[in-house]
Amino acid sequence: MTDPVISLLRDLVAIDSVNPSLVPGAAGEAQVAEAIAAHMRRMGLDVHVQDVSPGRPNVIGVLDGIERGRSLMFCGHTDTVGVAGMEAPFNPVERGGRLYGRGAQDMKGGVAAMIDAARIARARGWRKGRIIIAAVADEEYASIGADALVGGWKADAAIVTEPTDLQIGVGHKGFACATIETRGRAAHGSRPKDGRDAIMRMGRVLNRLERLDRDLQARPPHPLLGTGSLHASTIEGGRELSSYPDCCRLQVERRTVPGEGMETFAREIDDLLGVLGREDPEFEASQTLLFSRPPYQTPPAHELPPALAAAAASAGITTTTTGMSFWTDAAILGGAGIPSVLFGPGGAGLHSVEEYVNVNDVIACRDALASLALNWV
Ligand SMILES: [Zn+2]
């Protein structure tokens, strides 16, 4: 018989919840949120739907014990990235111990595990404290779901069930994004004295950015998270083949480690444009900062990672604590004063055309979360 957590996972993967901020016109989280709300109501949880923006709800299920105690939050996002190039993204297929489909690993496997953990915990006699299960919107774009969640909900600790291969993630990098624009002067391609080439000017910027990236990656690494880095994301410029381009626009992303933030990146770009301006008085460029999110680290010596390691061991999982490369909502929970760690099932192919989660990992993750809830009193 199929384990109930896998039946739930299949139901969730079968629902299109592509993030509409990433892919205009995409389905969004409304339908998957409705299915999760209905499932949690059937489990007997007290269910709250938080409308973050139109068609973009969070669903929060609450289980209160008959004795007062500490609260434990499980948090996962319900949105997925797009499905371009996938043949049957919403048709969950199980093969060789893996469940395939968009969002199977990132992160409906973790969402199914955290929901079903409440059922198992209760069946095993859980009766003290509070379990809060938060299924949030929009992690893949701007995390408006997690932002809204921490506005209304608090907990003594949280597990974000992003895919970690069943390792305990106690931190991750942050990021900052900016646009750099170089300006030139449009002219007929035959008139080099009149034209100023904005794209060539961006070439100088790219050259400096590449050097900066090398410098960042050569710095002494943060013991958990490594070094910062940057990459060019998108570039556009020029109007037609036979004209000097008057403008070129580059989007660039910087990954940050503790001690670095938006201001760090702004200063680095300023410095680099300043150097180019001194080398060539005609050089003209500006920057606009777009968006940033901070890095995250679980407070050192916090009791949550060892408590989770013990719970995982009781579910047959050997864990180590580690830093994760990708940004998660743990930074938002942590920033709101909820000590958080990352712990979720393994798989592969997140954000790519073939995505799967390991079925046994989902079951083991669910069992570990249930044990943690039983001990977190
Ligand atoms: Zn994710």
Side-chain angles (χ1 to χ4, degrees), residues 66-150:
I66 48 177
E67 288 177 52
R68 292 171 79 87
R70 294 195 291 182
S71 56
L72 180 63
M73 178 184 277
F74 299 145
C75 180
H77 64 85
T78 54
D79 60 318
T80 73
V81 294
V83 297
M86 294 180 84
E87 245 164 55
F90 310 118
N91 178 26
V93 173
E94 213 176 314
R95 202 169 54 231
R98 299 164 168 179
L99 190 125
Y100 290 82
R102 171 57 82 226
Q105 189 196 18
D106 187 13
M107 60 169 285
K108 288 174 175 175
V111 169
M114 74 185 194
I115 294 170
D116 205 44
R119 181 182 66 85
I120 295 286
R122 203 161 44 175
R124 285 168 52 188
W126 176 89
R127 50 185 284 137
K128 187 170 179 190
R130 167 176 260 204
I131 299 173
I132 302 165
I133 298 172
V136 299
D138 193 45
E139 193 273 345
E140 298 289 1
Y141 185 69
S143 287
I144 57 174
D147 271 340
L149 175 72
V150 297

Side-chain angles (χ1 to χ4, degrees), residues 27-34 48-60 78-79 135-138 144-145 148:
E29 300 88 348
Q31 198 192 342
V32 77
E34 207 172 292
H48 305 254
V49 177
Q50 190 179 25
D51 276 313
V52 180
S53 79
R56 314 288 308 271
N58 287 342
V59 187
I60 299 114
T78 54
D79 60 318
V136 299
D138 193 45
I144 57 174

Side-chain angles (χ1 to χ4, degrees), residues 131 283 293 344 347:
I131 299 173
F283 179 82
R293 288 290 191 183

